[in-house]
Amino acid sequence: MEVAELREWSRPATLAGERTLPVLPALAPVLPSGLRRGAIVGVSGPGATSVALALLAGPSRAGSWVAVVGLPDLGVAAADEAGMDLSRLALVPHPGDRGPVVAATLVDGLDVVVVGPGAGIGPADARRLAARTRQRGAVLVAAARPWSERCDIELSVAASAWVGLERGCGHLSRRLLEVAAGGRRGNRRRTRMWMPSGEGAPLPWEPGPPTEETNGVTDGCRPGPVRLVAG
Amino acid sequence: MARTAVVWCPDWPVRAAEADPTGPVAVVRANRVVACSPAARADGVAVGLRRRQAEARSPGLVVVPHDPAGEARRFEPVVAAVAAFTPRVEVVRPGVCAFTARGPARYFGGEERLATLVAEAAEAACPGGPGVERCQVGVADGLFAAGLAARYGVVVEPGRAAEFLAPMPVRVLGMAALVDLLDRLGIRTLGQLARLPSAQVLSRFGAEGATAQRRARGLDDRPLATRPPPDDLTVTAELDPPVERVDAAAFAAKSLADRLHAALADRGLSCTQVGIEAETEHGETLVRWWRHDGQLTSPALAERVRWQLEGWLGGPHPPTSGLVRLRLTPDEVVVDHGSQQGFWGGVAEADRQAARALARVQALLGPDTVLTAVPEGGRGPAEVVRLVPWGDDRGPARPPKVPWPGRVPAPLPAVVPERSLPAELADGEGRPLIIDGRGQPSAPPRRLSVAGGPWSEVVAWSAPWPCQERWWDPGGRRRRARMQVETAEGRALLLVVESGRWLVEAVYD
């Protein structure tokens, strides 16, 4: 056993100074120090759901509980593929008019809470919820638009390109996403990742010589170059 | 021998299932009928039949899956209705509960009268309408005899249980292997079994046989394990003379909180929500509920009393007189696991904290609103996970590891709308795209419009993959084809066509 591995094993589960939740390596360039507890993260634009899933996969794999409030359309199977632990994922798809109360209760007990448009959180609720999140040391992911509070970190999709689907053959096999970080504490950086990567969890994009795509059906069908489309 | 009353709700799995119990309904587990409605029974459906046999005997049969957790949950109102007569009620299984009849029978004027009243109350608390068998109550010596008395809705007089049981077939004992053996030996009724010498029964049939014989003789083998009434943990302080000042009230609350904590600690409990109620001389009351996760100490509780009263006194509607009563009501009491944190065990504490928060949301919105997902076998993006209420059994209903031909290939879409959106897919000349019986599109797709929105250009698409599901089932058969398309804006969608109509089943967001 390597020394580094041994150290990882013998590390206490909760350190007094441990105030961050881990993120996947694919998101490390935009969140170099992980997800700080108490942070409000906004995700927006087309592809926001995938970015949110990639963001949640890190804490979920490390044992954190994740709740999703007011997002009835979430594809839970995609969350499973992205590497989230479904046994620690709770969904409240239809909180009705109790959305703010439900979100506040979940912030009290869970590490990461995602609020969607179905949670019905108005500006005053958003302010209270943000204050509560900071106080309890949870992470709030706002997938609801408009989210009136200023976010600590804003993640958005700058560009995306699907690979694998051709004109009448193949199937969607993976997607290159360019994620841009902004917001009060965001570091204005961009990163490219494969999400979904076709192999489970999102993978960082490695620049290099283009390789022959082997995914998809190839009879008479040549995969074209990756085409980035501004999102 | 304790006089025991048993409340029996006939066909409980059917009544608890959300199907019309007046029609033919069968509840099925592992392809076998476990319960059926009277209408289905009239058609010849019986418990233990295979599903297909049952459907052959009763063509209009509605088949519902067995849901033990849901049955137990829906039985709770019935138990509550029975508990209005006597506080100590034992739930034998969902659909059957028992209580000791002696005390309530005296209070309500005799066992017959008690049985009538309880049966009416239980019936009123049951789901279902006319045409179903009504709830029945039986009273006898011991649980076994009372259970059978409930089937007939009779009261068996004290000391005559053996007489009542004698003509019953041995099958009612419910011990399959023993019953089979007794039957082959020519012992057909409980009376015959009861007359055998007990020493020989024990040596020939073992402990199970001895138990069966004791039951057949009307001697009960165990007392009722009744549910004790919940302790009243509310603590109250009368303030005399009336308290006008907030700090004095907070001081009184401190000792009150000490009493509450002592009472909870005696029972090894902690409470996650506490109600503080203050009442004034003029009868004005203010109740507020405070939540915490089990570590609210007496000073912290007193502090909350102070906040609450300060808000009241300084608010727009201050009370007109001094406080005479303070009451602390623990709500949501949980078993106290202690609160040692950190070091190595931080994760388990996080689990408990999450469980409490989720239980709290369930208390707010109802048990079926907080869901967890279980991976499952299936074809479409919505079928490969099953959502189960938080706290229910997470076993998969369909095996995920076996092949599902025609399954949507990974990666799966991140957005699966609850209700699919209508779409229009057209070819180069604007005609709607048709998928023929061999799964071939009529022309290459060119344009797509979702829910009547603007047209966008289709730049890439998959070959349609047809999917025939449940072709053997006239009610559930579906013939569809799925297709992935990508538009010029970079959006990728999963479309499905069924009877010529295109729908957006999922979005690869």
Side-chain angles (χ1 to χ4, degrees):
Chain A
M1 196 181 278
E2 295 291 318
V3 175
E5 203 180 335
L6 193 66
R7 187 182 299 145
E8 189 61 26
W9 271 97
S10 58
R11 194 174 57 94
T14 47
L15 282 175
E18 194 173 77
R19 299 287 297 159
T20 58
L21 299 173
V23 294
L24 292 180
L27 276 172
V30 286
L31 295 165
S33 54
L35 260 181
R36 199 176 49 79
R37 281 179 177 273
I40 318 288
V41 186
V43 290
S44 57
T49 317
S50 291
V51 176
L53 292 181
L55 180 71
L56 300 175
S60 179
R61 279 183 159 187
S64 287
W65 277 82
V66 178
V68 181
V69 185
L71 263 184
D73 296 347
L74 180 71
V76 186
D80 189 24
E81 280 184 351
M84 288 184 69
D85 179 359
L86 290 194
S87 63
R88 291 172 191 270
L89 170 68
L91 306 161
V92 187
H94 298 287
D97 54 358
R98 316 292 295 273
V101 183
V102 169
T105 308
L106 292 173
V107 160
D108 276 357
L110 278 71
D111 296 321
V112 187
V113 177
V114 185
V115 288
I121 293 186
D125 301 320
R127 207 160 38 245
R128 262 198 298 270
L129 196 57
R132 195 151 183 169
T133 305
R134 296 204 175 92
Q135 188 214 335
R136 304 294 306 201
V139 172
L140 188 72
V141 179
R145 291 287 130 186
W147 174 258
S148 58
E149 275 296 283
R150 191 79 197 280
C151 293
D152 298 322
I153 299 158
E154 299 250 17
L155 295 179
S156 57
V157 175
S160 76
W162 279 98
V163 175
L165 193 64
E166 299 305 322
R167 300 171 72 82
C169 57
H171 67 80
L172 299 168
S173 60
R174 51 185 180 156
R175 172 172 58 175
L176 190 60
L177 263 188
E178 188 167 310
V179 180
R184 230 154 29 127
R185 290 167 189 270
N187 58 3
R188 315 247 175 281
R189 272 194 229 170
R190 291 181 173 219
T191 184
R192 286 183 177 184
M193 63 172 175
W194 293 105
M195 168 69 203
S197 66
E199 302 156 28
L203 295 174
W205 177 69
E206 309 267 339
T211 53
E212 179 88 14
E213 280 293 329
T214 50
N215 286 319
V217 189
T218 51
D219 49 349
C221 211
R222 277 276 156 275
V226 171
R227 192 169 45 85
L228 272 179
V229 180
Chain B
M1 181 62 59
R3 296 292 287 164
T4 307
V6 168
V7 183
W8 176 58
C9 301
D11 310 322
W12 182 254
V14 175
R15 295 185 79 164
E18 278 157 358
D20 176 21
T22 54
V25 181
V27 178
V28 173
R29 185 184 58 206
N31 209 26
R32 295 269 182 189
V33 174
V34 292
C36 58
S37 69
R41 218 162 14 244
D43 287 341
V45 178
V47 170
L49 277 188
R50 280 175 193 283
R51 177 192 171 132
R52 197 184 297 172
Q53 289 172 313
E55 282 173 330
R57 291 188 189 180
S58 174
L61 191 70
V62 177
V63 176
V64 285
H66 190 214
D67 172 19
E71 279 168 26
R73 209 155 51 218
R74 295 195 187 96
F75 193 54
E76 200 53 33
V78 181
V79 178
V82 176
F85 292 88
T86 171
R88 302 181 79 93
V89 180
E90 176 192 335
V91 178
V92 180
R93 61 169 190 273
V96 179
C97 64
F99 58 93
T100 310
R102 188 163 156 266
R106 284 184 167 196
Y107 185 81
F108 287 99
E111 287 173 345
E112 261 97 10
R113 193 165 149 65
L114 173 72
T116 319
L117 289 174
V118 172
E120 275 169 13
E123 183 62 38
C126 277
V132 294
E133 286 181 35
R134 301 183 65 80
C135 292
Q136 300 199 77
V137 176
V139 185
D141 295 340
L143 183 60
F144 178 70
L148 285 171
R151 303 254 157 178
Y152 297 91
V154 295
V155 174
V156 180
E157 284 174 34
R160 300 185 64 177
E163 210 175 307
F164 167 71
L165 293 172
M168 304 258 177
V170 285
R171 168 164 62 75
V172 299
L173 287 167
M175 305 164 176
L178 180 70
V179 165
D180 185 50
L181 182 57
L182 290 174
D183 206 41
R184 278 186 284 142
L185 292 172
I187 301 165
R188 301 273 148 79
T189 66
L190 293 184
Q192 286 173 314
L193 178 61
R195 278 196 296 279
L196 299 175
S198 13
Q200 271 83 337
V201 168
L202 179 61
S203 63
R204 175 67 181 79
F205 302 110
E208 196 185 24
T211 309
Q213 198 194 26
R214 280 181 62 78
R215 288 185 183 171
R217 286 178 171 177
L219 304 170
D220 212 355
D221 46 337
R222 71 170 179 89
L224 283 186
T226 51
R227 194 168 68 167
D231 296 314
D232 188 4
L233 294 167
T234 306
V235 290
T236 311
E238 306 286 341
L239 307 174
D240 187 26
V243 170
E244 302 268 357
R245 291 201 345 257
V246 171
D247 53 349
F251 185 73
K254 167 83 174 61
S255 66
L256 202 57
D258 284 336
R259 268 167 57 198
L260 176 68
H261 276 276
L264 287 172
D266 280 352
R267 292 163 179 82
L269 301 171
S270 76
C271 82
T272 57
Q273 176 168 306
V274 63
I276 300 176
E277 184 183 347
E279 193 181 334
T280 69
E281 238 177 333
H282 293 174
E284 297 149 299
T285 55
L286 177 74
V287 189
R288 271 195 65 182
W289 296 94
W290 296 89
R291 231 185 79 64
H292 63 93
D293 49 9
Q295 285 105 46
L296 201 60
T297 55
S298 316
L301 204 53
E303 195 71 353
R304 274 153 184 77
V305 172
R306 182 197 293 271
W307 294 341
Q308 179 173 339
L309 293 179
E310 271 174 359
W312 196 17
L313 295 171
H317 304 290
T320 54
S321 57
L323 296 174
V324 291
R325 192 170 295 127
L326 265 180
R327 181 175 295 146
L328 301 182
T329 312
D331 197 40
E332 296 190 0
V333 177
V334 295
V335 174
D336 194 353
H337 293 286
S339 58
Q340 178 146 11
Q341 290 175 11
F343 209 54
W344 302 94
V347 175
E349 177 54 29
D351 283 354
R352 276 198 290 277
Q353 223 175 42
R356 277 198 291 262
L358 295 173
R360 170 98 184 107
V361 175
Q362 270 183 327
L364 268 175
L365 300 177
D368 299 339
T369 51
V370 182
L371 305 169
T372 59
V374 186
E376 200 174 51
R379 295 188 178 84
E383 292 159 13
V384 292
V385 285
R386 185 165 54 101
L387 298 176
V388 293
W390 159 253
D392 273 14
D393 181 27
R394 284 175 51 90
R398 295 191 297 253
K401 296 287 175 214
V402 301
W404 287 88
R407 165 177 204 278
V408 175
L412 289 165
V415 170
V416 184
E418 285 188 302
R419 197 163 295 167
S420 301
L421 299 166
E424 284 177 74
L425 191 62
D427 63 12
E429 280 144 51
R431 289 172 308 201
L433 201 76
I434 298 162
I435 306 292
D436 66 19
R438 313 184 73 165
Q440 293 303 314
S442 57
R446 279 284 173 271
R447 295 188 301 153
L448 171 76
S449 155
V450 178
W455 290 94
S456 49
E457 192 198 339
V458 173
V459 293
W461 62 94
S462 68
W465 59 99
C467 184
Q468 287 209 16
E469 287 172 358
R470 311 188 70 82
W471 48 266
W472 60 88
D473 178 0
R477 81 161 59 125
R478 304 189 76 170
R479 211 167 139 263
R480 305 186 270 190
R482 291 196 170 91
M483 193 176 196
Q484 287 175 336
V485 299
E486 192 185 342
T487 66
E489 295 87 48
R491 292 182 77 200
L493 304 157
L494 178 67
L495 304 181
V496 60
V497 60
E498 188 171 7
S499 344
R501 285 177 58 228
W502 288 92
L503 296 169
V504 176
E505 194 179 22
V507 183
Y508 291 84
D509 185 45

